Amino acid sequence: MCQRAIYPGTFDPVTYGHVDVIERAVKIFPELIVAVADNTQKKPLFSIAERVKMLKNATSRFSGVEVTSFKSLAVDFARKNKIRVIIRGLRMVSDFEYEFQMALTNRKIAPDLETIFLMPSENYSYISSKLLKEAGSLGADLSSFLSSDIEDRLKRRLRK
């Protein structure tokens, strides 16, 4: 049985939906690497160091979770770390097409790896970091979607 998995993403910022997927993944895999993508093409609001720090705080209650960053293909990072399973979160049907396309591309590049899709609780299934950044920029209360420290960081950053 596979003991380790990777949950890659941008996490800009980490939401309760991300944490919910992490919580579900650690019930299946004793070791989970939450890998923060250093992908400047997405133009993240927070630096890689900030996103790693936020995730470490958000996941501190889970045993077996390691948070790190990577600057490569997720499949290359997984292979380098001897991981055979990639976790991806599926929120809405709109995610499916992109995630399915990525999983099939990864399968072609790295047929030795598997992708497992986990759905967050329905309470978080519609949350996206992009949407929260937009709502936060307009002064919305984001406490149902983000921890208070992350909400504060986000709103301070959006005011700059």
Side-chain angles (χ1 to χ4, degrees), residues 12-105:
D12 186 45
V14 59
T15 69
Y16 286 151
H18 294 127
V19 175
D20 188 77
V21 169
I22 291 165
E23 185 171 9
R24 292 171 189 285
V26 298
K27 291 177 183 174
I28 302 167
F29 298 95
E31 296 177 47
L32 178 69
I33 296 177
V34 180
V36 183
D38 190 2
N39 182 350
T40 55
Q41 289 180 344
K42 284 196 170 186
K43 297 184 175 120
L45 188 61
F46 294 99
S47 72
I48 191 74
E50 289 172 310
R51 289 180 280 144
V52 166
K53 183 178 179 180
M54 286 187 279
L55 266 160
K56 284 183 178 181
N57 290 339
T59 61
S60 63
R61 65 185 169 105
F62 302 116
S63 62
V65 173
E66 175 188 342
V67 179
T68 190
S69 63
F70 72 104
K71 193 172 187 160
S72 65
L73 291 174
V75 294
D76 291 339
F77 180 82
R79 282 178 163 163
K80 178 181 172 193
N81 289 278
K82 296 179 177 39
I83 297 171
R84 295 189 49 231
V85 176
I86 297 172
I87 302 292
R88 297 296 297 169
L90 271 183
R91 296 169 303 200
M92 304 295 280
V93 173
S94 57
D95 285 345
F96 182 76
E97 186 175 354
Y98 173 77
E99 293 293 345
F100 187 67
Q101 190 176 30
M102 187 182 342
L104 290 176
T105 301

